[in-house]
Amino acid sequence: QHNELNSFLWTIKRDPPSYFFGTIHVPYTRVWDFIPENSKKAFQQSHIVYFELDLTDPYTISALTSCQLLPQGENLQDVLPRDIYSRLKRHLEYVKLMMPSWMTPDQRGKGLYADYLFNAIAGNWERKRPVWVMLMVNSLTEVDIKSRGVPVLDLYLAQEAERLRKQTGAVEKVEEQCHPLNGLNFSQV
């Protein structure tokens, strides 16, 4: 039953109450109908909303992009075994070839083109650290491509908070997310 779903909402009992809501990084349309009303009501009634990162801040996006890059002068070809690099390159060529057929008419109607989308997701892939390339490859599926253009839940909520003129902030800095991932060794990745 919809009213019995786990809302991932915790309430801190004070006056006024505070709420802690666990989100997931998927297009919000995949989960919105399954978010219980108590969570939506808590969001609507809140005046201040903090997110993991401020995804509406251009600095955050720029810093996230920068932290994914290998040190200056290094390329992925230098750090990956030759066979893995070759397989990755072939797979990305396949994805680029398939992307036009994966896109929806709605995406095309909004001016989203396969080449643009591929470059937005995979552009500069040869300069990225292996862990970020792995995450990128995991998002290059037909289902994920069809949902591009739809904000992930965190971004959707941040955009809604701005629209509703709520005060917003972030509990983490980009470096707090980047450094642990960049610290993984090759076998961990």
Side-chain angles (χ1 to χ4, degrees):
Q1 294 293 334
H2 188 269
N3 61 354
E4 294 175 7
L5 292 173
N6 182 346
S7 66
F8 299 101
L9 178 73
W10 287 266
T11 302
I12 301 167
K13 294 181 180 173
R14 52 183 293 264
D15 190 25
S18 289
Y19 303 99
F20 188 77
F21 180 63
T23 59
I24 184 168
H25 299 286
V26 297
Y28 84 94
T29 52
R30 283 198 202 164
V31 295
W32 192 251
D33 291 341
F34 302 100
I35 296 175
E37 287 306 313
N38 67 334
S39 299
K40 292 176 182 177
K41 185 176 177 184
F43 177 79
Q44 289 294 327
Q45 292 177 344
S46 297
H47 300 288
I48 304 170
V49 184
Y50 278 83
F51 297 95
E52 182 179 9
L53 291 172
D54 183 356
L55 298 177
T56 63
D57 179 17
Y59 167 78
T60 299
I61 303 307
S62 173
L64 275 171
T65 302
S66 295
C67 88
Q68 295 178 17
L69 299 178
L70 287 162
Q72 192 63 36
E74 284 188 36
N75 288 311
L76 197 57
Q77 190 171 10
D78 302 328
V79 297
L80 285 182
R82 182 176 292 151
D83 63 322
I84 292 176
Y85 179 82
S86 296
R87 285 174 46 207
L88 173 63
K89 190 171 183 176
R90 281 193 313 273
H91 179 70
L92 292 175
E93 289 167 359
Y94 163 79
V95 168
K96 188 171 187 174
L97 183 70
M98 294 303 295
M99 275 185 76
S101 68
W102 292 350
M103 296 190 63
T104 66
D106 186 52
Q107 287 171 316
R108 285 189 284 277
K110 291 178 180 172
L112 202 55
Y113 294 98
D115 284 345
Y116 169 81
L117 190 54
F118 181 83
N119 287 330
I121 298 168
N124 210 19
W125 67 270
E126 294 181 272
R127 289 273 305 117
K128 291 184 179 183
R129 295 171 186 266
V131 67
W132 298 101
V133 171
M134 177 197 64
L135 295 170
M136 176 196 76
V137 167
N138 286 338
S139 72
L140 286 170
T141 65
E142 183 174 358
V143 169
D144 283 340
I145 295 304
K146 285 183 184 306
S147 65
R148 284 294 172 143
V150 176
V152 294
L153 182 59
D154 285 17
L155 179 57
Y156 172 75
L157 290 173
Q159 291 169 336
E160 277 298 290
E162 280 191 352
R163 186 182 69 77
L164 297 169
R165 293 182 167 43
K166 296 178 184 291
Q167 182 180 334
T168 62
V171 295
E172 289 185 14
K173 295 181 176 136
V174 170
E175 297 76 22
E176 293 170 317
Q177 285 206 349
C178 265
H179 293 313
L181 284 174
N182 287 348
L184 296 173
N185 65 41
F186 187 74
S187 66
Q188 291 169 317
V189 174

